[in-house]
Amino acid sequence: MASTPHLSVVIVAGAPCSGKGTQCKMLARDDSYFHLSTGDLVRDLAFNPSAAPNPELAQQAKGFMDRGELVPDEIITQFVMDFLNSGQAVHAERSAVSTCLLDGFPRTTAQAEALLTALESNPGIECSKMVLLEAPDDELMNRAPGRRMDADGNIYNLITQCSSTTMPMPDESTLSQRPQDSQPAAFVRRLEVWHGYAAEVFPFLEAQNVAIQRVDASADPAAVHMAVKAALGDGTPSVEEDDGWGDEEEASNDEWEVVGDVPREPNSGPARMTIAPCDDLNAKGPQRVMVQIQVPSDAVSGGAGDGGAVG
């Protein structure tokens, strides 16, 4: 019998300004998830080699960075595997599988192959899914000038008013902007690199049975967060709009309060369903949502009119 993995690794990917870092930080407030930014990990180990599981390897990485060179794939992969094997991403008090959100890795087919090969030798860790945040390039270009970061690494966007923290938006003068976000030509180049990465790595991962769950990152930030959680498989519904009645038989009269008379036959008239959050999606714990169904007046018996609601 195969052993049950104690750690599930999910690759979180998205173009610059797609919000993947913000979503990872928000999810990491839940004890089920651990956010591993490989960029942060490599920098932390390279500049503090004594804290690394393999100080000699960390010293090598520092040498590459000091010379302005890219850290080789095999060193980054070893850093990631050392971290995953250390147990730091596993919540020992939980009986359920913990999930590590792998942000910023793999960036090449060689890195992806090295990661999956390394995981094959560790039955306690599996990687079978990628969550991909997608948005049109023009939307990403519009977001880039508003991206800011505070001294603690929290991310804010002055345009979308989205942040990776539950704290109120700080004064803009206390935030920093990276040059690659403020210079359009530099950002265009980053998008070109991203599309090259996507064309190379995604087909390879799918061929290795890593399922890619796509999320519309151009939607409202709260809706994106719900969709990401649904893609991760925690049962949270994503925001959706339905022009038919769907499986209304699944809900009993004890679960729903009905305002007006609904059509007696399934799909006998168009309807619009919206699921919206009632609580702060940045907060921990269970959260409430509002479900509203709008029914055209000609589809409702008794003349309840457009806007009959189920809540």
Side-chain angles (χ1 to χ4, degrees):
M1 178 181 297
S3 60
T4 301
H6 64 265
L7 179 62
S8 175
V9 176
V10 175
I11 300 167
V12 183
C17 286
S18 63
K20 67 180 178 65
T22 295
Q23 293 295 333
C24 286
K25 287 178 181 291
M26 292 168 66
L27 287 163
R29 298 193 192 102
D30 184 328
D31 285 344
S32 300
Y33 302 106
F34 191 97
H35 176 205
L36 176 57
S37 168
T38 52
D40 290 345
L41 176 66
V42 171
R43 282 188 292 271
D44 289 347
L45 295 180
F47 289 98
N48 188 14
S50 61
N54 187 330
E56 182 179 350
L57 197 66
Q59 194 65 48
Q60 292 180 33
K62 185 177 186 303
F64 284 105
M65 297 176 72
D66 288 345
R67 294 190 298 271
E69 301 174 8
L70 294 175
V71 178
D73 290 344
E74 58 270 21
I75 293 181
I76 297 177
T77 303
Q78 189 59 55
F79 280 166
V80 171
M81 291 308 302
D82 285 345
F83 183 87
L84 296 177
N85 287 320
S86 72
Q88 294 181 61
V90 178
H91 298 274
E93 70 277 9
R94 293 179 55 85
S95 58
V97 174
S98 296
T99 300
C100 180
L101 305 172
L102 193 53
D103 173 11
F105 185 85
R107 294 184 181 274
T108 65
T109 300
Q111 289 181 354
E113 186 173 13
L115 174 67
L116 296 180
T117 299
L119 291 177
E120 285 179 357
S121 62
N122 192 327
I125 308 175
E126 68 170 3
C127 178
S128 59
K129 182 184 295 186
M130 167 190 278
V131 175
L132 174 60
L133 277 67
E134 297 182 309
D137 284 0
D138 57 353
E139 169 70 15
L140 301 172
M141 287 286 294
N142 290 336
R143 292 180 183 180
R147 180 182 162 92
R148 299 290 189 277
M149 187 176 294
D150 67 16
D152 296 323
N154 295 312
I155 304 167
Y156 305 86
N157 195 295
L158 306 180
I159 296 174
T160 64
Q161 292 297 301
C162 183
S163 75
S164 62
T165 174
T166 57
M167 299 298 291
M169 183 78 72
D171 188 276
E172 185 177 348
S173 63
T174 65
L175 304 175
S176 61
Q177 182 182 34
R178 299 187 303 178
Q180 57 263 47
D181 292 329
S182 61
Q183 300 171 4
F187 192 80
V188 168
R189 176 55 185 154
R190 292 177 69 199
L191 289 178
E192 291 173 350
V193 171
W194 158 256
H195 289 302
Y197 154 79
E200 174 189 351
V201 177
F202 295 173
F204 172 81
L205 289 172
E206 288 183 305
Q208 303 302 312
N209 297 317
V210 176
I212 297 181
Q213 302 287 331
R214 288 174 163 81
V215 172
D216 180 7
S218 64
D220 176 87
V224 174
H225 188 62
M226 294 176 71
V228 168
K229 293 182 74 175
L232 288 168
D234 73 351
T236 304
S238 61
V239 173
E240 61 180 288
E241 294 182 356
D242 189 1
D243 56 8
W245 283 100
D247 297 327
E248 73 287 350
E249 296 175 351
E250 294 181 0
S252 68
N253 290 333
D254 294 334
E255 297 172 317
W256 301 95
E257 176 186 355
V258 180
V259 180
D261 297 322
V262 300
R264 290 180 169 80
E265 297 296 329
N267 299 314
S268 60
R272 178 185 177 91
M273 182 175 73
T274 303
I275 302 176
C278 297
D279 298 326
D280 179 5
L281 289 177
N282 287 333
K284 283 187 176 181
Q287 296 165 354
R288 300 170 299 166
V289 296
M290 177 180 68
V291 180
Q292 185 177 50
I293 298 178
Q294 295 178 316
V295 185
S297 59
D298 58 0
V300 181
S301 60
D306 190 9
V310 178

